[in-house]
Amino acid sequence: MATLDDPSTWPQWGIPDAQTIKMIEEEDVRVFPPVGLDSLPKLREAWSETIGNDAAEVLQAAGSEVVSDEIHVPLRDGTTSRTLLFKPSAKPADGSALVVLIHGGGFLIGTPEMEVPACVNAVKAYGCVCLSVGYRLAPESKYPTPYEDCWDVLQWTRSHAAELGADLSKGFVLGGTSAGGRMTGTLALWARDSNMQPPLTGLYLNATSLAYADAIPGPYRHLYRSHVEAEAREGRRAQKSKDTFEKALDPDIHSEVWNPLGWPTDHHGLPRTYLQVCGTDYHRDEALIFERILRLEHQIDTRVDVYPGMPHVFWFKFRNHPACKLFYKDTVAGLGWLLHLA
């Protein structure tokens, strides 16, 4: 059985799940269309509609328990970030913690609606205030614009928490999915290095990438096998998709900003961290190595849920898979653990 403490067993999590294979054969799967920059506008439109419908279902199910709003947060260049705000309809007597989430989409697609389930479920469970952050996408906006947008929103949020109905002394959690998780890793280190006050009290990293292969710290590089597994399993498709996203964003792949796993001033002083990891994800081992560094080198509290055999962001692609219910349950429990409420 695979365990966190025995990296030699991690490849066991990468054995493809039989149910997902069956669902693909039966076409019971919602997949991203092939990404080509010429078809990007149509892809974004279709994806926004799909995710918007998903978000509407979640909000409808929440009924009157959750109040939602759309706010436009000012950015450094005079533009704004379209950000979604969720609050409990009945404010807790002892105040509300703040959770800030950043959506994924490879920096090319995606909307704040993608994090609506996590936001709404956390508000219902813990009475917190939750934001889902919007940021500008590539190729229209190149690196590091998405990072700067999210940093600006984080700083604005910190300064306006009371207006949003949050009390940061109750908790201040930052998290993200996929590309949003990659930015979360960097933003958390920016916050630590700038002595941001109040400090973050928790990090949530979901199906995230944290470094390119050559930026993995030397002592851990031999543990990074998930990308090799993915390429062996999928041929050039995995690498081709990764190359497409990176070409559009045009990041400095050697910079510390792009590689928070290899941050030059290490990872001391980061807050407790919750990770959700997909077993067949190209980036699986980046998250597992990061957890190992936090826990073993810096004695930082960590919590990890791994989904054996499941592909990257499977809850979007395989909505009818039994693992999706577990994923959403784990997300709420993990956020509660970050807030010291579960």
Side-chain angles (χ1 to χ4, degrees):
M1 183 177 70
T3 66
L4 287 175
D5 286 325
D6 185 357
S8 70
T9 66
W10 294 354
Q12 294 178 30
W13 284 321
I15 300 172
D17 171 73
Q19 181 66 20
T20 61
I21 295 173
K22 181 180 179 181
M23 293 175 74
I24 292 171
E25 292 172 348
E26 296 176 352
E27 298 185 350
D28 185 13
V29 56
R30 185 171 69 186
V31 298
F32 297 114
V35 174
L37 297 186
D38 55 341
S39 62
L40 192 55
K42 289 184 178 180
L43 170 59
R44 285 177 177 167
E45 182 179 357
W47 186 246
S48 294
E49 180 179 359
T50 298
I51 295 302
N53 292 336
D54 290 353
E57 289 179 11
V58 173
L59 281 168
Q60 184 176 11
S64 60
E65 293 183 66
V66 178
V67 177
S68 63
D69 196 8
E70 180 178 309
I71 62 176
H72 294 268
V73 179
L75 304 175
R76 66 185 65 186
D77 62 358
T79 59
T80 60
S81 159
R82 174 181 172 268
T83 292
L84 303 181
L85 169 66
F86 303 90
K87 299 190 291 187
S89 54
K91 185 176 180 179
D94 59 348
S96 296
L98 180 64
V99 176
V100 180
L101 300 182
I102 306 171
H103 69 80
F107 298 97
L108 276 177
I109 62 173
T111 69
E113 280 77 9
M114 293 171 72
E115 295 297 335
V116 166
C119 287
V120 169
N121 292 332
V123 172
K124 287 170 59 179
Y126 308 116
C128 58
V129 173
C130 195
L131 292 176
S132 182
V133 178
Y135 54 92
R136 285 172 285 185
L137 301 173
E140 297 88 348
S141 298
K142 301 291 188 180
Y143 167 93
T145 298
Y147 288 80
E148 294 171 345
D149 287 356
C150 293
W151 178 251
D152 290 352
V153 173
L154 183 65
Q155 295 306 307
W156 182 91
T157 299
R158 178 177 60 85
S159 301
H160 294 78
E163 298 171 32
L164 298 173
D167 179 354
L168 299 188
S169 70
K170 301 297 180 181
F172 188 9
V173 171
L174 176 66
T177 298
S178 192
R182 189 172 203 135
M183 288 191 284
T184 293
T186 296
L187 267 58
L189 289 157
W190 279 351
R192 183 205 64 183
D193 290 350
S194 65
N195 193 31
M196 187 181 81
Q197 298 296 324
L200 295 171
T201 61
L203 297 182
Y204 168 45
L205 301 175
N206 179 24
T208 188
S209 57
L210 293 162
Y212 84 110
D214 288 345
I216 302 290
Y220 297 94
R221 199 165 296 173
H222 69 288
L223 302 181
Y224 186 30
R225 293 159 298 191
S226 54
H227 63 310
V228 176
E229 293 173 23
E231 290 168 6
R233 186 174 56 247
E234 304 174 27
R236 280 285 302 164
R237 186 177 62 178
Q239 184 64 42
K240 185 177 180 181
S241 177
K242 178 175 175 289
D243 291 345
T244 298
F245 288 122
E246 290 185 4
K247 181 179 179 181
L249 184 64
D250 193 25
D252 176 0
I253 65 169
H254 300 288
S255 71
E256 61 189 43
V257 174
W258 188 246
N259 298 287
L261 183 55
W263 202 259
T265 54
D266 71 47
H267 303 89
H268 71 277
L270 289 178
R272 59 170 34 197
T273 300
Y274 171 54
L275 305 95
Q276 287 179 292
V277 182
C278 304
T280 63
D281 198 332
Y282 184 101
H283 303 288
R284 180 197 69 214
D285 291 348
E286 296 166 43
L288 297 178
I289 291 169
F290 188 61
E291 187 276 338
R292 199 168 180 81
I293 291 171
L294 296 182
R295 176 168 52 92
L296 299 181
E297 290 191 19
H298 303 292
Q299 293 72 57
I300 294 169
D301 289 340
T302 62
R303 175 169 172 158
V304 183
D305 285 311
V306 179
Y307 304 93
M310 301 306 293
H312 187 65
V313 296
F314 65 88
W315 54 96
F316 287 132
K317 300 175 182 178
F318 298 91
R319 295 188 74 199
N320 297 321
H321 195 289
C324 294
K325 290 183 179 179
L326 176 62
F327 167 81
Y328 287 119
K329 180 180 178 181
D330 288 344
T331 302
V332 177
L335 290 172
W337 178 79
L338 290 175
L339 294 168
H340 298 270
L341 295 175

